[in-house]
Amino acid sequence: VPPSALDPKGPNGAAIASLFGIVMAIAVVVFVIVEGMLLFSAWRFRQRPNDTTEPKQVHGNTRFEIAWTIAPAIIVVVLFVLALQTQQTLNAKPGQPGDQLTVKVIGHQWWWEYQYPDLNITTATDLVIPVGKVVNLEISSVDVIHSFWIPQLNGKTDAFPNRVNRSWILADAAGTFYGQCAELCGPSHANMRSVVIAKDQADFNAAMAWMEFVE
């Protein structure tokens, strides 16, 4: 089943999905009004049989012109405020800084490397995280531009060579969440998938202990 940003499993995904829902609702209302007026005008002012007279020419309507100039401006301002509030939500991390996990996410052609500096562990393909804990992501690349995206947990964050972009994720419940590199990065770009596995704290500790043993 393809991952869907409309099925959020964390606070960041929920904030983005909520904003999308509001934008979609506004877009639907505007579409219905505009298309309704177009259809009504086409029907109301259609040419009747045997009617060869030229329709009455109208120069314009100042009130309507002001209205359809102000209305889009108000919509843009509302969307700007909502987007700003959503961005503030994405920037506000819950919990205490000392109770967070840091992971370095490094893009390669065409796979992801994950480094846990606090645990001295490096892995690939699957990013294992604890449920209910903020995971700070330090995202970069060793070759070309990639984009790390787990739709159910957060939006896209580009991975640049010689630069670190920061983001964070938090999973509300245990599960496996799939993502995809969202930046065209070469012939095997379509195969550059990512997987985040959220585990309860005990299972996460066991997974980290196993990775440490393997290394």
Side-chain angles (χ1 to χ4, degrees):
V1 178
S4 173
L6 301 181
D7 181 27
K9 299 299 182 181
N12 287 349
I16 294 172
S18 177
L19 178 62
F20 176 85
I22 295 173
V23 173
M24 178 61 70
I26 294 175
V28 168
V29 171
V30 172
F31 175 82
V32 170
I33 292 175
V34 173
E35 292 301 316
M37 293 177 67
L38 285 173
L39 293 174
F40 171 78
S41 298
W43 177 83
R44 173 66 176 81
F45 300 104
R46 70 191 186 283
Q47 186 176 16
R48 271 72 170 182
N50 303 322
D51 185 0
T52 58
T53 60
E54 183 178 353
K56 180 181 178 181
Q57 302 300 302
V58 179
H59 173 69
N61 188 305
T62 302
R63 292 182 179 178
F64 280 155
E65 291 171 2
I66 292 175
W68 64 55
T69 300
I70 293 178
I74 293 175
I75 293 174
V76 169
V77 171
V78 169
L79 293 178
F80 172 78
V81 172
L82 292 174
L84 187 61
Q85 290 176 342
T86 301
Q87 187 61 54
Q88 291 174 341
T89 299
L90 298 180
N91 291 336
K93 300 176 187 177
Q96 299 299 321
D99 190 34
Q100 299 176 2
L101 178 68
T102 297
V103 177
K104 294 183 178 181
V105 180
I106 303 171
H108 298 256
Q109 289 179 309
W110 292 269
W111 57 283
W112 293 101
E113 175 186 351
Y114 304 111
Q115 298 179 0
Y116 299 76
D118 299 333
L119 304 175
N120 196 28
I121 292 174
T122 299
T123 184
T125 307
D126 296 350
L127 172 59
V128 182
I129 64 172
V131 172
K133 190 171 186 177
V134 171
V135 180
N136 295 304
L137 305 179
E138 298 180 356
I139 303 172
S140 61
S141 170
V142 298
D143 38 52
V144 299
I145 300 175
H146 302 282
S147 189
F148 187 74
W149 183 35
I150 309 295
Q152 292 177 287
L153 299 180
N154 205 346
K156 306 172 187 177
T157 302
D158 286 340
F160 293 99
N162 303 314
R163 173 178 176 149
V164 176
N165 281 339
R166 290 174 170 80
S167 182
W168 64 276
I169 56 176
L170 185 153
D172 290 333
T176 301
F177 312 107
Y178 298 95
Q180 173 70 47
C181 177
E183 184 74 29
L184 182 60
C185 56
S188 294
H189 161 72
N191 297 322
M192 190 171 175
R193 298 181 176 90
S194 49
V195 180
V196 173
I197 302 175
K199 295 178 175 288
D200 294 331
Q201 189 65 51
D203 293 336
F204 172 79
N205 293 340
M208 292 297 103
W210 170 252
M211 290 181 187
E212 188 175 10
F213 172 76
V214 172
E215 287 192 351

